[in-house]
Amino acid sequence: MSDSNSAGNGVGGAGGQERPPGGERRRFPDISSRAYEHPADRSALVALRRLSGFDTVFKALSGLLPERSLRLLYLSDSVRVGEQQFGHLHTLLLDACYVLDMPKVPAMYVTQDPQPSAMCIGLDEPIIVVTTGLVELLDEEEMRAVIGHEVGHALSGHAVYRTILLFLTNVALKVAWIPLGNIAVMAIVTALREWFRKSELSADRAGLLVGQDLRASMRGLMKIAGGNHLHEMNVDAFLAQADEYEKGGDLRDSVLKIMNMLPRSHPFTTVRAAELKKWSESRDHQRILDGHYPRRAEDKDASVSDSFRESAGHYAESVRSSKDPLMGLVRDIAGGAGDLGGRLRDTFAGRRPSPPKNGQEPKNGPDEPGPGPGRTTGPDDSPLP
């Protein structure tokens, strides 16, 4: 594998650094985040990127946001990752930035918190924060996927747009006293959370592109769900939970699933694992590994309408393929409505009813009497005397 397309020994590529040590993995020069973004995430980001100056205005107003305070907080009360502190995490960060050809390596901090977690925040320059709980929980390859996940957030601009929209949401909350204002705000918040959840699926894909080890990504997700008891867990059984969660229960369970999901910013862990495995087996993932992916230089020409059509198509396919009882009901209702609409259209257009299927007796239309006693039909199905 050539040096231009694989991450091997040395440090280089991202931010003018040399390549970090690590296993032989493919590198993706000038890769656009559109290559790995979930369709629903990508459509929103493409639209926002086309709003020239939108993020620039909010970056200029960053003093109104808590970003400065957060930077000072982590600088003063956390450990900044570098060659002299958490050197192994520094190496993994450089490697992730090299593989995704990140223009600038973001700052990274380790903060004391037993809860395993990581995040990418900031408007002007994104920073990555990981907790001690996560560092102690994951092995090197699992952590590589997590850091790749956060670098994916940074490359997509999620930190910028999340902060912008959260700021707008906070402004909207201040006018929630307006009649029906709270309902409108909750609709915005619900939509934002749905986007956040899809952006997490995007970042999981970025983590897989960086680590290029599906097993490590799966192990990391299982540990986040079940702790450091990997010898007690099984990937296939874990994925079976996701399948049972999707198709199990009745309509009451479907409603409870929605209620449980609405307040969350992240998808459920088993769902993330199933989604990532599905994407890893997709043609889109293989094309990226083969070097066929959109470039950042083409981002300005990305079509908003095409992105929204792809997003709509994804949701439609999700409904069609879902095993959830509620989605099945939606399909049945949609199919019934389509059948009813087709019959009404045929009636008013004077068309004949659909031919019988599987040897069934033909069904008469609303205004089409069948042949009476002593009557027969001709080749054109019109009554003959």
Side-chain angles (χ1 to χ4, degrees):
M1 192 173 296
S2 65
D3 287 344
S4 61
N5 292 315
S6 64
N9 296 327
V11 181
Q17 304 292 324
E18 295 295 323
R19 282 188 294 171
E24 289 291 323
R25 289 182 307 284
R26 293 175 178 84
R27 180 175 179 255
F28 309 103
D30 196 39
I31 187 171
S32 168
S33 59
R34 291 181 292 119
Y36 58 79
E37 285 163 354
H38 186 280
D41 176 30
R42 181 166 58 245
S43 62
L45 291 174
V46 167
L48 286 172
R49 288 168 187 149
R50 294 296 293 273
L51 295 177
S52 178
F54 184 63
D55 57 341
T56 303
V57 171
F58 278 87
K59 285 180 181 180
L61 297 175
S62 60
L64 301 176
L65 301 171
E67 180 181 4
R68 286 181 178 271
S69 175
L70 287 173
R71 287 181 180 278
L72 290 172
L73 177 63
Y74 289 117
L75 186 62
S76 64
D77 206 32
S78 299
V79 178
R80 183 161 57 191
V81 172
E83 293 181 357
Q84 297 178 312
Q85 301 187 115
F86 289 100
H88 71 292
L89 296 182
H90 181 61
T91 298
L92 294 176
L93 175 62
L94 293 177
D95 184 54
C97 291
Y98 175 76
V99 170
L100 293 180
D101 197 17
M102 187 74 174
K104 185 176 181 180
V105 178
M108 183 173 173
Y109 293 88
V110 175
T111 188
Q112 173 64 31
D113 187 341
Q115 182 71 24
S117 180
M119 61 180 174
C120 181
I121 58 173
L123 276 174
D124 196 26
E125 293 183 4
I127 63 174
I128 295 172
V129 180
V130 297
T131 65
T132 52
L134 189 69
V135 174
E136 294 164 2
L137 178 66
L138 304 183
D139 67 24
E140 180 174 311
E141 293 307 311
E142 294 157 8
M143 182 60 74
R144 188 190 302 278
V146 168
I147 292 177
H149 174 111
E150 301 306 327
V151 170
H153 275 314
L155 185 59
S156 285
H158 289 149
V160 173
Y161 297 115
R162 281 184 170 194
T163 307
I164 289 172
L165 291 178
L166 284 173
F167 175 71
L168 293 176
T169 302
N170 289 334
V171 171
L173 287 171
K174 295 178 181 179
V175 296
W177 56 270
I178 299 174
L180 299 180
N182 189 50
I183 296 176
V185 169
M186 287 308 300
I188 295 172
V189 170
T190 300
L192 283 178
R193 285 175 178 157
E194 170 64 9
W195 176 32
F196 290 178
R197 289 190 290 269
K198 293 302 184 286
S199 74
E200 289 300 322
L201 299 179
S202 299
D204 282 344
R205 297 174 178 183
L208 180 60
L209 291 177
V210 167
Q212 297 174 25
D213 184 348
L214 180 63
R215 293 172 300 177
S217 294
M218 291 292 166
R219 292 199 309 268
L221 289 170
M222 285 196 301
K223 284 185 176 181
I224 290 173
N228 194 14
H229 304 281
L230 200 58
H231 63 287
E232 298 284 356
M233 294 183 278
N234 177 275
V235 171
D236 292 334
F238 192 65
L239 293 172
Q241 288 182 228
D243 187 62
E244 181 180 346
Y245 170 79
E246 181 183 4
K247 68 182 181 182
D250 54 23
L251 291 178
R252 293 169 297 179
D253 295 301
S254 298
V255 174
L256 289 174
K257 292 177 192 176
I258 294 173
M259 299 302 294
N260 288 339
M261 177 62 72
L262 286 178
R264 295 176 60 93
S265 61
H266 286 58
F268 292 116
T269 316
T270 57
V271 175
R272 290 173 63 183
E275 287 284 339
L276 186 60
K277 184 175 186 296
K278 180 180 178 181
W279 186 73
S280 73
E281 299 168 346
S282 70
R283 184 170 177 268
D284 289 341
H285 178 239
Q286 187 58 50
R287 282 179 58 82
I288 296 174
L289 296 182
D290 292 339
H292 305 295
Y293 52 80
R295 264 59 177 180
R296 288 197 290 272
E298 305 163 350
D299 282 349
K300 63 181 183 301
D301 301 320
S303 169
V304 177
S305 58
D306 288 347
S307 297
F308 276 108
R309 277 196 294 270
E310 185 177 358
S311 177
H314 166 79
Y315 278 112
E317 176 58 30
S318 296
V319 172
R320 284 194 295 269
S321 61
S322 176
K323 303 171 186 176
D324 184 85
L326 180 58
M327 292 300 100
L329 177 62
V330 170
R331 286 195 301 270
D332 291 343
I333 292 174
D339 183 56
L340 176 60
R343 292 189 180 190
L344 290 174
R345 183 181 63 249
D346 291 344
T347 297
F348 286 107
R351 298 174 184 169
R352 293 178 300 178
S354 300
K357 297 180 181 179
N358 302 325
Q360 296 177 352
E361 290 296 324
K363 296 181 180 180
N364 298 322
D367 297 314
E368 296 173 319
R375 305 175 72 192
T376 184
T377 56
D380 62 349
D381 289 336
S382 58
L384 296 176

